[in-house]
Amino acid sequence: MKDNKSASLFQKEQVMESLKQSFVKLNPRVMIKNPIMFTVEVVTVVMLIVCFLSLGTSEYGAFGYNLLVFIILFVTLLFANFAEAIAEARGKAQADSLRKTREETPAKVLVDGKIHTVSSSRLKKGDYFICEAGDTIPADGEIVEGLASIDESAITGESAPVIREAGGDKSSVTGGTKVLSDKIKVLVTQQPGESFLDKMIALVEGATRQKTPNEIALTILLAGFTLVFVIVCVTLIPMADYTNIDHPGTYISIAAIISLFVCLIPTTIGGLLSAIGIAGMDRALRANVITKSGKAVETAGDIDTLLLDKTGTITIGNRKATKFYAAPGVDERDFIEACLLSSISDETPEGKSIVELGRESGMRMRNLNTTGARMIKFTAETKCSGVDLADGTQIRKGAFDAIRKMVEGAGNEFPKEVEEIISSISSNGGTPLVVCVNKKVTGVIELQDIIKPGIQERFERLRKMGVKTVMVTGDNPLTAKYIAEKAGVDDFIAEAKPEDKMEYIKKEQQAGKLVAMMGDGTNDAPALAQANVGVAMNSGTQAAKEAGNMVDLDNDPTKLIEIVEIGKQLLMTRGTLTTFSIANDVAKYFAIIPALFMVAIPQLAPLNIMGLHSPETAILSAIIFNAVIIPILIPLALRGVRYKPIGASALLRRNLLIYGLGGVIAPFIGIKLIDMFVSLFF
């Protein structure tokens, strides 16, 4: 999917399909969804009737001229439909590539302990299936047994494999991805046709796209403008008839009044409005973010506060052992050996990192005597794990409080020096694991959260955008404070429970702020659902992905920067093109009104700024410009107005200057040039 980022705006296949759809969309039942362009369609039909009437009598004007006006109006409709169709075609192209991913896949279903191969389409929620190296995962689910490296490039575009394992926040797998190693047992979490991939396909096709509140409000505003100009144009006819009594020749033809009406209503933005909305969702998809609604993209442009889960979002996910601290009087090699022996049965990433650190220190597991050893698994009650060796030696590794209780319970002293080491590790954002041999402290292992690279710079950019970043973690306040400072977030919530996140979001929302939440765990699901924009990591649990209204395929915690920029682009594009469209009307007013009345009312001569050739060429030039400006602006609607974090007032000044002033000047130049060409034939 990453390949699509560099794809051309107009690909041949998409253009051909869009041209076809431009005619299909002329159906009034489709057109009525866009009141402005529906009004244009109505007056185009009226103009067609006038063409037929003018064949028999000169009362309705010259047939050739009326036909020309009709053709230009018809082309205007086609251009507007083309803008929407090209935006939809880009989405459909992406849907087709996703559909290839969701091919019928054989599934090894477990029934009463036996494996049966069935089609992936027959899998239902609650089924269990087995996947081994080389198998394509047939459906969305949660790993309940085992771990495996998985190729998710078909979904994310990233070629690097990822590790998914049972338990924790990295247990979710997506249908269409491929298992590269090991064996996993998966529980199906979705009914057929409701998979993550199915939802993606429906969304990018635009089938389920609903108009956003902002888009609806703008449509109402534009419809109001249109109604005003209906009244303006209707009142011009009796005014012209009245003027005609004293100034013969002030008659306004039906072609003139229809042209004036079409030029004055905001057809430019009316024709591009749908394309802008569809393109916003398309841009999000190109940033590898699946949005469940256009509203989510739009809301992202107005975000005030961002909550980020620490583990897996700000940090790489799993803590790593970074240093061994031997207690006073304990040989360092003996201590490292005890650390490795205590980690034999520890299958957690932390346990594996202890073994890796030991290997870097020159100690290897295979050199240790573990014959007859009894493994002690970690439990929530004991808060420690370890091993009982054949010679009766007991080695334990665990939390400070648990080991201290064990040591002091046996009548042994907990060294002050070790307490100081523990305090130092905690104040530096680390997690201390204390090791004891035969209930005597031998030292401390330091575990550190690894902060994702480049994250400070990204948070600084969010700050410039006016977004406050808040880290949420279950860690103690000391550790949380250290990580928050190191990552560069504005605030943090330590020892946070799921309800604490909810309370914080509600408090911010009550203050009138819009909140975004990023997370990957089931414990993040309530907060993701409560937030205005909930971005779930694709690597996270199914519950998190269901609760959010966006899914980040890259699992990038700072992806909100792109999401916010896309949201702001969407709002700015809509605003700037509306400004441009209305500014256009000013110029077109100066083109047509003087041309209509100047012969009969010479006093209007100062308004004839453009000095157009004749009333007929003036009208034709204005409606031709009105038509061609739509396709000219399609690339801008699809790409969006470029966003820079320079503040709202500076952005407003910049856009008013470019699109407000430009919207007034461009038609003056454009209409004059078209008039010079058209006048050659009239």
Side-chain angles (χ1 to χ4, degrees):
M1 289 202 351
K2 289 257 175 109
D3 298 339
N4 293 333
K5 288 181 180 179
S6 60
S8 164
L9 275 176
F10 301 104
Q11 293 179 348
K12 188 181 174 183
E13 297 81 9
Q14 292 178 16
V15 169
M16 296 310 292
E17 178 60 25
S18 300
L19 285 170
K20 180 185 162 187
Q21 287 299 315
S22 302
F23 288 89
V24 173
K25 288 176 178 287
L26 290 171
N27 185 335
R29 285 178 293 185
V30 176
M31 291 295 291
I32 202 163
K33 293 174 184 175
N34 188 335
I36 298 105
M37 297 319 295
F38 178 71
T39 311
V40 176
E41 186 171 46
V42 170
V43 296
T44 305
V45 172
V46 171
M47 201 63 226
L48 180 63
I49 296 165
V50 170
C51 283
F52 285 119
L53 292 172
S54 63
L55 279 169
T57 174
S58 61
E59 187 184 340
Y60 296 98
F63 170 75
Y65 183 77
N66 289 341
L67 182 65
L68 196 55
V69 171
F70 163 74
I71 291 168
I72 297 167
L73 293 179
F74 185 69
V75 168
T76 306
L77 284 173
L78 292 179
F79 282 159
N81 287 346
F82 179 78
E84 184 176 6
I86 198 79
E88 287 175 353
R90 282 154 62 84
K92 286 187 172 101
Q94 295 206 355
D96 290 338
S97 69
L98 290 170
R99 210 173 263 111
K100 288 173 188 171
T101 305
R102 195 204 54 188
E103 291 171 345
E104 281 295 304
T105 309
K108 300 171 186 173
V109 182
L110 269 176
V111 182
D112 300 326
K114 293 181 181 177
I115 294 175
H116 300 272
T117 303
V118 300
S119 168
S120 59
S121 59
R122 291 177 61 188
L123 288 173
K124 58 187 186 295
K125 193 174 179 178
D127 285 346
Y128 290 91
F129 62 83
I130 300 288
C131 273
E132 297 173 288
D135 291 347
T136 298
I137 295 170
D140 293 2
E142 295 271 350
I143 300 173
V144 291
E145 279 181 28
L147 88 164
S149 58
I150 294 171
D151 175 11
E152 293 188 345
S153 58
I155 305 291
T156 65
E158 295 290 341
S159 55
V162 293
I163 304 295
R164 297 283 178 264
E165 57 187 325
D169 295 339
K170 306 282 184 201
S171 61
S172 170
V173 290
T174 307
T177 57
K178 193 174 182 181
V179 177
L180 298 177
S181 69
D182 303 288
K183 182 179 176 180
I184 50 174
K185 180 181 174 183
V186 183
L187 168 67
V188 179
T189 53
Q190 297 293 330
Q191 295 290 6
E194 294 177 6
S195 71
F196 183 58
L197 214 53
D198 285 310
K199 288 174 184 173
M200 282 168 66
I201 291 164
L203 286 163
V204 297
E205 281 187 322
T208 58
R209 183 183 173 269
Q210 300 294 313
K211 281 193 174 182
T212 64
N214 184 288
E215 200 173 342
I216 292 165
L218 188 54
T219 303
I220 293 167
L221 175 70
L222 297 177
F225 266 119
T226 304
L227 186 62
V228 166
F229 287 116
V230 167
I231 297 164
V232 167
C233 291
V234 167
T235 54
L236 275 178
I237 296 169
M239 281 174 65
D241 289 345
Y242 179 75
T243 311
N244 196 44
I245 298 167
D246 296 321
H247 303 279
T250 319
Y251 168 74
I252 300 180
S253 67
I254 296 173
I257 205 74
I258 284 175
S259 301
L260 178 67
F261 171 70
V262 170
C263 285
L264 291 185
I265 64 172
T267 46
T268 309
I269 184 64
L272 295 168
L273 193 57
S274 296
I276 295 165
I278 297 165
M281 291 181 73
D282 182 60
R283 280 198 297 277
L285 188 66
R286 286 166 191 268
N288 261 14
V289 176
I290 298 299
T291 60
K292 296 183 182 180
S293 71
K295 185 184 175 183
V297 181
E298 200 170 89
T299 307
D302 290 324
I303 285 299
D304 300 293
T305 308
L306 166 64
L307 266 72
L308 299 113
D309 185 43
K310 185 205 78 175
T311 308
T313 308
I314 290 174
T315 62
I316 284 171
N318 302 308
R319 292 169 301 181
K320 286 182 73 175
T322 53
K323 200 167 180 181
F324 295 122
Y325 296 89
V330 178
D331 181 72
E332 190 173 358
R333 286 193 68 80
D334 290 345
F335 170 59
I336 294 171
E337 187 176 323
C339 293
L340 293 182
L341 286 165
S342 68
S343 303
I344 292 171
S345 62
D346 192 347
E347 288 295 316
T348 65
E350 288 89 347
K352 291 172 183 174
S353 76
I354 293 168
V355 175
E356 281 176 30
L357 187 63
R359 194 183 298 125
E360 289 169 17
S361 307
M363 300 283 288
R364 295 193 176 269
M365 291 292 277
R366 64 171 177 259
N367 298 332
L368 304 176
N369 184 15
T370 57
T371 309
R374 187 170 70 89
M375 312 304 171
I376 310 297
K377 294 272 187 186
F378 177 88
T379 65
E381 289 78 29
T382 62
K383 289 186 180 176
C384 65
S385 61
V387 63
D388 290 346
L389 299 177
D391 63 2
T393 304
Q394 292 182 337
I395 305 172
R396 295 292 182 271
K397 172 194 74 186
F400 165 49
D401 292 339
I403 300 295
R404 183 169 66 176
K405 192 177 176 183
M406 186 189 294
V407 168
E408 290 177 349
N412 296 317
E413 190 184 343
F414 198 98
K416 281 275 184 200
E417 294 88 345
V418 174
E419 283 194 34
E420 286 170 10
I421 291 167
I422 289 165
S423 178
S424 172
I425 291 169
S426 296
S427 63
N428 286 333
T431 303
L433 280 181
V434 185
V435 179
C436 68
V437 178
N438 295 326
K439 298 181 180 178
K440 290 181 181 176
V441 176
T442 56
V444 184
I445 305 167
E446 181 181 8
L447 300 177
Q448 280 286 0
D449 282 299
I450 310 300
I451 291 170
K452 292 183 177 179
I455 207 155
Q456 278 184 315
E457 293 79 7
R458 305 279 278 172
F459 285 148
E460 183 57 38
R461 187 166 170 84
L462 279 169
R463 201 170 289 115
K464 285 179 181 173
M465 288 180 182
V467 179
K468 178 186 174 186
T469 50
V470 181
M471 182 186 81
V472 182
T473 177
D475 289 341
N476 64 70
L478 263 176
T479 303
K481 186 173 183 289
Y482 178 84
I483 300 279
E485 286 174 357
K486 205 170 173 185
V489 293
D490 298 313
D491 199 3
F492 65 89
I493 307 168
E495 297 174 343
K497 298 182 285 294
E499 51 268 31
D500 294 332
K501 299 175 194 177
M502 289 282 287
E503 283 304 311
Y504 190 92
I505 292 170
K506 284 178 181 175
K507 187 179 80 180
E508 289 285 292
Q509 287 171 336
Q510 282 164 5
K513 294 178 180 178
L514 293 179
V515 183
M517 167 77 192
M518 298 194 82
D520 60 353
T522 302
N523 63 328
D524 299 319
L528 286 166
Q530 178 67 37
N532 303 91
V533 177
V535 186
M537 303 291 160
N538 190 44
S539 62
T541 60
Q542 195 67 34
K545 289 197 284 190
E546 288 293 326
N549 50 19
M550 290 189 185
V551 178
D552 176 22
L553 300 176
D554 294 330
N555 309 305
D556 178 1
T558 58
K559 183 58 71 71
L560 196 83
I561 291 172
E562 279 84 358
I563 295 169
V564 168
E565 285 186 351
I566 290 163
K568 288 188 184 294
Q569 268 193 328
L570 180 62
L571 294 169
M572 282 169 56
T573 305
R574 210 175 274 156
T576 50
L577 288 181
T578 303
T579 305
F580 185 86
S581 182
I582 292 166
N584 264 219
D585 294 343
V586 175
K588 287 178 283 191
Y589 182 88
F590 277 97
I592 295 178
I593 294 291
L596 287 177
F597 291 97
M598 204 170 61
V599 176
I601 309 172
Q603 290 85 348
L604 287 175
L607 292 178
N608 189 22
I609 301 166
M610 296 187 199
L612 301 178
H613 182 260
S614 68
E616 288 78 15
T617 63
I619 290 164
L620 283 178
S621 302
I623 59 172
I624 289 169
F625 179 85
N626 195 62
V628 298
I629 199 69
I630 296 173
I632 289 169
L633 291 173
I634 288 175
L636 182 64
L638 295 181
R639 283 204 185 96
V641 175
R642 194 177 172 196
Y643 171 73
K644 289 182 180 177
I646 57 174
S649 56
L651 275 172
L652 187 63
R653 278 197 305 272
R654 175 173 164 265
N655 290 333
L656 278 174
L657 183 68
I658 297 169
Y659 297 97
L661 188 62
V664 173
I665 295 168
F668 274 92
I669 299 166
I671 291 170
K672 181 65 181 175
L673 290 171
I674 295 167
D675 182 75
M676 286 165 70
F677 176 76
V678 171
S679 63
L680 299 173
F681 304 95
F682 283 87

